[in-house]
């Protein structure tokens, strides 16, 4: 499974780069992370609890960061074993570029699973992997920028003469 995405973060590339190399920041950003120890030079060890479809597992694994170009790019590789649930491994190539006074972060992710997890089917696994990657980079953005306050967004829309968007039953914005 492969996917790519880009997001704009309103802090300089040096801050984003440093955050991606920090164990405490990674713990805050990895969904389900219970523990992240180590450093970027020797690698990180992580314990992550996740539920994929009907399978809930605690994954213990390692993360290495290679091909580092300071404030520009890196490759993140990780693998974990979840006991009877199986294993997961994957990697991401992350590129940072200065844009609009902040950072344009783009990533290409590849993920593989085996064991019981692989039996769930590619649609469930692909959806889960995309959700995990999106959540990680959203958490990173929130950690660096501070979470966006919904009231501030509504006030900005009202000041612009627009009615705030209402959310429907399923969280979709109605227009």
């Amino acid at each position: 499974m492969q996917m790519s995405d880009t997001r704009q973060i309103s802090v300089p590339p040096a801050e984003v780069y440093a955050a991606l190399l920090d164990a405490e920041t990674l713990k805050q950003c990895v969904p389900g992370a219970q523990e992240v120890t180590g450093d970027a030079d020797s690698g990180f060890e992580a314990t992550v609890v996740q539920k994929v479809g009907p399978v809930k597992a605690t994954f213990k694994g390692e993360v290495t960061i290679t091909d580092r170009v300071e404030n520009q790019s890196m490759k993140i590789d990780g693998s974990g074993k979840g006991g009877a649930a199986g294993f997961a491994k994957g990697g991401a190539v992350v590129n940072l570029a200065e844009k609009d006074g902040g950072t344009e972060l783009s990533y290409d992710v590849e993920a593989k699973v085996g064991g019981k997890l692989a039996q769930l089917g590619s649609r469930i696994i692909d959806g889960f992997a995309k959700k995990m990657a999106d959540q990680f980079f959203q958490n990173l953005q929130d950690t660096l920028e501070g979470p966006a306050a919904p009231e501030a967004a509504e006030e900005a829309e009202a000041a612009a003469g627009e009615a705030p968007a209402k959310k429907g039953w399923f969280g979709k914005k109605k227009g």
Side-chain angles (χ1 to χ4, degrees):
M1 197 277 321
Q2 294 183 317
M3 69 182 145
S4 301
D5 202 358
T6 301
R7 62 177 57 233
Q8 185 71 25
I9 301 176
S10 65
V11 298
E15 281 186 54
V16 178
Y17 185 85
L20 287 168
L21 300 178
D22 178 65
E24 194 54 41
T25 302
L26 291 175
K27 181 179 176 187
Q28 292 173 28
C29 296
V30 174
Q34 305 296 302
E35 183 179 25
V36 176
T37 58
D39 60 60
D41 294 326
S42 58
F44 298 98
E45 290 189 8
T47 302
V48 178
V49 176
Q50 276 299 327
K51 186 171 192 273
V52 185
V55 179
K56 182 176 180 182
T58 299
F59 292 89
K60 293 192 181 287
E62 291 124 24
V63 176
T64 57
I65 300 177
T66 58
D67 301 342
R68 292 187 289 183
V69 177
E70 190 168 351
N71 303 333
Q72 293 180 28
S73 64
M74 66 183 66
K75 183 173 185 202
I76 304 170
D77 287 302
S79 64
K81 293 182 180 168
F87 70 88
K89 65 182 191 177
V93 174
V94 179
N95 290 294
L96 309 173
E98 194 165 337
K99 184 176 179 186
D100 299 331
T103 303
E104 182 179 79
L105 181 149
S106 59
Y107 59 91
D108 295 306
V109 175
E110 185 172 353
K112 296 177 183 157
V113 296
K116 276 188 184 176
L117 290 174
Q119 296 170 5
L120 293 174
S122 63
R123 282 185 30 209
I124 291 174
I125 297 300
D126 290 356
F128 174 77
K130 179 171 178 15
K131 180 178 142 199
M132 285 285 288
D134 289 346
Q135 189 64 58
F136 173 82
F137 288 107
Q138 183 62 53
N139 290 350
L140 177 68
Q141 186 170 355
D142 291 347
T143 298
L144 292 169
E145 294 179 346
E151 299 81 26
E154 287 182 12
E155 287 171 14
E157 286 177 1
E162 298 175 15
K166 302 280 186 227
K167 290 196 173 187
W169 280 92
F170 298 104
K172 294 181 182 175
K173 287 191 174 192
K174 293 182 178 179

